[in-house]
Amino acid sequence: MLASGGLAAAAIWPAGRVLAQASDNVVKIGVLDDMSGVFADQQGMGDVVAARMAIEDFGGRVLGAPVELVFGDLQNRPDVGMGIARRWYDQEKVDAIFGLGNSAVALAVQQLTREKDRINISVAAGTTELTGRGCTPNGVHWTYDNYALARGTVSAMVAEGKRRWYFITSDYAFGHSLEANGTEAVRKLGGEVLGSTRAPLNESDFSAHLLRAAQSGAQVVGLAVAGNDLINAVKQMGEFGLLRRGIQPAALLCLLTNVRAIGLQTAQGLIFTEAYYWDQNDETRAFATRFARLHGRPPTMFQASMWGAVTHYLKGVQAAGTDAAGAVMAKMRELPINDFMTRNGRIREDGRVIRDMYLMRAKRPADSRSEWDLLEVVQTIPGDQAFRPAGESECPALRR
């Protein structure tokens, strides 16, 4: 079983003189993600690379104490993720856990984090429950959520007249949440959901699911799946002729690495919503160049936002003068988020980071100039429009 020990948890800087404000004479960060499964390509060691970059860019110390990094493989299993998180909190004195790239794991760890009075920052999980009924004072939902992904993509496709939808959904918390948010968006915009089918995580054969979708009369197959499952589903839509019949895939969570794996010949024209693309401007390109030197390719939105999440946490510790969770969270909410990826972002009281999102489209093969020149930004979706309004939240912190 791979966990933090199996992946060689690493202290990056030697201990030196520390200040009393840093508990245990160190500030310790954990990255808990899918390192070996269907999401490893878009999270995995790329997230660890980005976290290390953030720590190094911050100077390797905060409050005079060294910053240490550990990392582990949650294996997309809540029991495994919880076991690692509990050991980190109880035995290894980890102050904050980042990543949590599986919604079921993220929900469980967020409640444990509240119990242990530490901090968790969910970078790659999608479920809106993290800032809904499952919200906590110590949890931050950093990059995106399923409401923002569904709203951006569904709005664009319904505007093109694609009103009849069928969903293929990963059968766990992330997929259920994404389908629910997609269904809500379709119906609010006057569209119709003709049915859905549930696929197990790490599905290799989507033929039965696609046959049902094709028979439903849908114009759009909403793919509430991710990682390798998304790649397989889109490829098989092409192989089975659904694309030629005018049935369009809607990738409700798609990343740069997914498009490359699908190939532009099949993916061209695919519409989806993201929080970051490496080739947007000079700042995004500069970070991507640095990251690629270490990891061999540009970052996904998760890997890019890992840098921002770790940096903002360290700024919070610095501003608070302590690594105590309550004081750090107060400063993190107070400080604006400004970096190469985010402009004037903020952490809402429910833990939701409000930032701009982007409607993306996969390029035609003829328009791609290089291996990773795969996407174009179609539209910027302002943060106050991208995410669920505070007035609709089920989080007690916003309903007081």
Side-chain angles (χ1 to χ4, degrees), residues 73-111:
D73 185 355
L74 52 76
Q75 298 183 41
N76 294 303
R77 289 174 50 189
D79 60 330
V80 172
M82 281 288 281
I84 295 171
R86 192 176 295 278
R87 184 176 73 253
W88 282 356
Y89 286 152
D90 290 345
Q91 299 175 26
E92 300 185 33
K93 308 303 181 184
V94 168
D95 296 293
I97 295 178
F98 294 75
L100 298 170
N102 175 287
S103 288
V105 175
L107 286 167
V109 170
Q110 181 152 290
Q111 296 307 315

Side-chain angles (χ1 to χ4, degrees), residues 120-399:
N120 68 271
I121 301 182
S122 297
V123 170
T127 178
T128 52
E129 288 299 294
L130 287 165
T131 54
R133 286 172 292 183
C135 73
T136 75
N138 298 45
V140 178
H141 203 175
W142 187 264
T143 310
Y144 77 109
D145 64 27
N146 290 342
Y147 179 95
L149 296 188
R151 187 183 188 282
T153 304
V154 170
S155 296
M157 299 191 74
V158 171
E160 296 177 356
K162 307 290 187 180
R163 297 182 174 275
R164 299 193 307 276
W165 288 62
Y166 187 98
F167 286 95
I168 297 176
T169 303
S170 281
D171 194 12
Y172 75 108
F174 161 80
H176 301 169
S177 171
L178 193 49
E179 180 188 332
N181 281 278
T183 297
E184 177 186 359
V186 169
R187 289 174 176 164
K188 277 188 175 180
L189 293 168
E192 182 182 6
V193 176
L194 303 177
S196 66
T197 183
R198 299 281 172 88
L201 184 63
N202 206 16
E203 177 71 281
S204 59
D205 183 2
F206 282 87
S207 56
H209 309 292
L210 293 172
L211 177 62
R212 291 175 191 162
Q215 291 173 338
S216 73
Q219 298 166 293
V220 181
V221 178
L223 296 170
V225 298
N228 291 344
D229 291 349
L230 173 69
I231 294 165
N232 289 334
V234 175
K235 283 184 174 180
Q236 288 171 33
M237 282 189 72
E239 292 166 2
F240 298 156
L242 272 65
L243 304 180
R244 291 192 299 274
R245 292 166 55 184
I247 301 174
Q248 189 167 344
L252 297 182
L253 174 58
C254 186
L255 290 96
L256 178 71
T257 49
N258 304 148
V259 174
R260 183 175 180 274
I262 294 167
L264 287 184
Q265 191 61 44
T266 298
Q268 60 183 302
L270 188 65
I271 294 286
F272 54 95
T273 303
E274 280 224 55
Y276 163 88
Y277 178 51
W278 72 270
D279 198 19
Q280 284 177 269
N281 55 52
D282 288 345
E283 288 183 277
T284 59
R285 284 187 286 271
F287 179 81
T289 298
R290 292 177 56 213
F291 181 89
R293 289 194 193 107
L294 299 170
H295 196 58
R297 62 192 184 205
T300 66
M301 72 167 173
F302 299 149
Q303 293 158 352
S305 62
M306 178 64 76
W307 186 96
V310 171
T311 298
H312 195 70
Y313 169 75
L314 293 175
K315 286 181 178 179
V317 172
Q318 186 71 58
T322 176
D323 57 2
V328 175
M329 284 297 303
K331 286 299 181 182
M332 288 176 65
R333 288 192 174 94
E334 178 183 314
L335 294 170
I337 303 167
N338 283 297
D339 55 41
F340 67 89
M341 177 176 170
T342 307
R343 290 288 177 269
N344 298 317
R346 61 185 175 88
I347 302 175
R348 202 165 61 184
E349 195 63 27
D350 59 350
R352 173 69 263 157
V353 169
I354 306 300
R355 58 150 48 84
D356 291 349
M357 299 291 288
Y358 304 96
L359 189 68
M360 310 295 296
R361 179 166 54 219
K363 288 187 172 183
R364 296 179 304 171
D367 295 332
S368 175
R369 299 162 298 175
S370 63
E371 179 183 8
W372 293 100
D373 178 30
L374 302 174
L375 308 177
E376 56 184 334
V377 178
V378 177
Q379 178 186 344
T380 298
I381 307 169
D384 58 359
Q385 298 176 25
F387 295 95
R388 188 182 299 280
E392 297 179 9
S393 174
E394 295 183 283
C395 176
L398 292 179
R399 296 173 67 87

